[in-house]
Amino acid sequence: MLRPARRVLASRHGVAADGVTGRRYYPSMVKFLHTADWQLGMTRHFLDGDAQARFSAARLDCITVIGRLAEAEDCDFVVVCGDVFESNHIERQVLRRALDNMGAASGVGFYLLPGNHDPLDPASIYRSPTFTSHRPDNVAVLDSSAPVQAAAGVELIAAPWPNKHPLTDLVDDACADLERGDTARGNTDIERGCTAHSGAAHSGTAVLGDAVRIVVGHGALDCLSPDPSNPALVSLARLEDRINEGSIHYAALGDRHSTTDVGASGRVWYSGAPEPTDYTESDPGNVLIVTLDDDGGCSVDKRRVGQWRFERNERAVAADADIDAVEEWLTGLPDKSRTIVKLALVGQVSVAQQARLESLLADHEDLLAALESWDRRSELAVIPDDADLEHFGLSGFAADAVSELGRTAESENEQDAVTARDALALLHRLAGATQ
């Protein structure tokens, strides 16, 4: 059982909370940390053993950062909106360290939502002996849609994934039985303004019911999905209808790894992953500090917690100056040991220039967490010239052999041509090393 968070109560009508007047009382402020998609135990095929170990450690360390931030900001709780774990079959050590790191932030509760990576199926990690026997008191699993009191006057309405392929909008299903927080229940309409960290304002009217309700969900919103036939898409319109009618007050979502404010209400957010996972993510590495106050206001404050970066770059190369630019960009990357790069090179170079490129890429590969070739975008032609062949200063049979390689490098047989160009580039690098 989670320890209820400390909460100062205040009357909506300015009456002291003495239990005499019979007035309804509301939280003076609800403040919590919204995060998602930790995917603890994730592996990346392009990382070698050392880089993978550091990548995994950073994801676990991020839990400690989140816990300390929540405590420093006096947050009432943390919601982790799905995909806490990469799968239901991660290494025991990862699970133990994750639970230990959450337990270290004993002053704040962590509410974990099963998502598509770690659903509540028969093999659920949340039902494993390791999880149940080592779960700290401040960690709870949102394993049903029954309202959970996360703080005084604050309810979490969760939509856990029962399996990897649900056939309905789980968030809409979880909200189906909520009552409207309208005047029929003795409440007074209040004005709501919502200001995001960027300074963008959202205005409108919402009504608080008996409790501040926060929906905790996971999945793709219908307005963002490329697959409209997916029956599990989350309806943005239904969420915002419920926000406008006052039955819910904020939708904390996971699944999208980039921090995203969706819709017009300013109360439907993806927190994004706290550490990036791929090149396609536009704004990962954040968590959200969300504040709902007694005047109906909502503020969402984006905080950077991630340390790793994925960088993708496409470069045109046709001259030595272009290679200089590639080298300058790679050299300028900060924190190389936690930076993963995918590079595409397009253009035409000589054998000597190819040798120089290979040398500088090999040098930076030693420094970066990973340096991948973006093969689908790469198209670099190597055309030998007379200077390439004269560079070796050979004579006799050796000169004849190099000339033959030069002719083969320009042949129509692509496989033979590539082999010959690679051989010439290697010779250039070896010759450069001995000069």
Side-chain angles (χ1 to χ4, degrees):
M1 188 73 177
L2 288 177
R3 177 178 60 80
R6 177 179 59 81
R7 172 56 58 203
V8 177
L9 297 181
S11 167
R12 173 94 64 78
H13 306 284
V15 179
D18 56 8
V20 175
T21 65
R23 298 278 190 175
R24 228 179 261 253
Y25 290 84
Y26 294 84
S28 62
M29 184 176 70
V30 178
K31 190 176 187 182
F32 63 96
L33 190 149
H34 169 193
T35 181
D37 301 288
W38 292 358
Q39 293 187 224
L40 303 171
M42 167 183 281
T43 59
R44 303 278 78 176
H45 68 87
F46 40 76
L47 296 177
D48 63 21
D50 174 65
Q52 178 62 60
R54 289 185 284 105
F55 184 78
S56 298
R59 307 189 83 77
L60 288 166
D61 291 344
C62 206
I63 301 173
T64 301
V65 174
I66 288 170
R68 289 174 178 169
L69 176 61
E71 289 185 319
E73 291 290 332
D74 199 24
C75 290
D76 296 294
F77 53 88
V78 174
V79 288
V80 190
C81 303
D83 290 357
V84 183
F85 303 101
E86 174 67 0
S87 77
N88 282 327
H89 306 285
I90 64 169
E91 292 182 8
R92 173 187 169 90
Q93 184 183 72
V94 173
L95 177 54
R96 286 295 314 277
R97 289 180 176 177
L99 293 172
D100 188 62
N101 288 357
M102 283 184 272
S106 58
V108 64
F110 285 78
Y111 291 89
L112 312 182
L113 180 77
N116 60 294
H117 277 259
D118 51 4
L120 282 172
D121 60 20
S124 174
I125 194 170
Y126 301 105
R127 295 169 177 153
S128 69
T130 301
F131 186 93
T132 57
S133 61
H134 296 284
R135 178 185 64 82
D137 291 341
N138 66 324
V139 174
V141 179
L142 298 172
D143 57 4
S144 78
S145 59
V148 172
Q149 184 175 340
V154 182
E155 290 179 351
L156 303 181
I157 309 300
W161 281 52
N163 54 63
K164 285 184 171 290
H165 304 287
L167 299 177
T168 62
D169 177 348
L170 298 174
V171 172
D172 193 53
D173 292 347
C175 296
D177 294 332
L178 296 181
E179 299 180 38
R180 291 165 57 98
D182 56 21
T183 53
R185 303 181 65 198
N187 298 323
T188 304
D189 285 5
I190 60 175
E191 290 299 315
R192 173 188 58 78
C194 182
T195 305
H197 182 58
S198 62
H202 304 267
S203 61
T205 300
V207 184
L208 291 177
D210 288 331
V212 174
R213 293 194 181 102
I214 299 161
V215 171
V216 183
H218 186 87
L221 283 167
D222 51 5
C223 62
L224 298 176
S225 174
D227 180 14
S229 65
N230 181 359
L233 293 179
V234 179
S235 170
L236 175 62
R238 294 292 297 127
L239 275 176
E240 297 218 304
D241 282 348
R242 289 190 165 98
I243 288 169
N244 290 331
E245 72 186 14
S247 60
I248 64 174
H249 308 95
Y250 182 85
L253 300 179
D255 186 59
R256 185 178 178 87
H257 290 192
S258 301
T259 303
T260 310
D261 174 12
V262 189
S265 70
R267 294 172 180 257
V268 181
W269 281 79
Y270 286 100
S271 64
E275 283 287 356
T277 63
D278 205 350
Y279 301 100
T280 57
E281 298 158 0
S282 59
D283 189 19
N286 308 306
V287 298
L288 302 176
I289 303 290
V290 182
T291 306
L292 304 171
D293 62 40
D294 59 345
D295 292 325
C298 169
S299 67
V300 180
D301 187 2
K302 182 174 71 172
R303 300 293 185 88
R304 177 78 182 178
V305 295
Q307 301 181 50
W308 282 64
R309 295 169 52 211
F310 283 72
E311 295 281 351
R312 207 159 49 174
N313 203 324
E314 185 173 345
R315 293 273 173 166
V317 180
D320 287 334
D322 300 324
I323 301 176
D324 292 340
V326 172
E327 184 171 19
E328 182 179 358
W329 180 75
L330 288 170
T331 301
L333 290 172
D335 204 2
K336 292 181 179 59
S337 66
R338 290 182 289 203
T339 300
I340 300 168
V341 172
K342 181 175 281 188
L343 184 62
L345 299 177
V346 178
Q348 178 176 307
V349 295
S350 69
V351 172
Q353 289 168 334
Q354 181 195 22
R356 182 186 168 199
L357 271 173
E358 290 179 350
S359 180
L360 77 88
L361 292 178
D363 182 51
H364 284 86
E365 191 173 7
D366 291 336
L367 301 174
L368 293 163
L371 176 56
E372 292 189 284
S373 173
W374 195 355
D375 294 334
R376 190 163 53 86
R377 295 287 189 95
S378 296
E379 191 173 348
L380 190 64
V382 182
I383 308 299
D385 58 23
D386 292 341
D388 288 326
L389 303 183
E390 293 171 359
H391 170 80
F392 299 111
L394 300 175
S395 61
F397 292 117
D400 292 341
V402 169
S403 296
E404 180 63 25
L405 280 174
R407 289 190 293 272
T408 304
E410 297 181 89
S411 72
E412 295 182 359
N413 186 313
E414 184 63 23
Q415 183 174 351
D416 290 347
V418 169
T419 301
R421 292 167 194 163
D422 289 345
L424 286 170
L426 178 59
L427 285 171
H428 265 273
R429 293 175 65 182
L430 292 174
T434 58
Q435 290 177 351

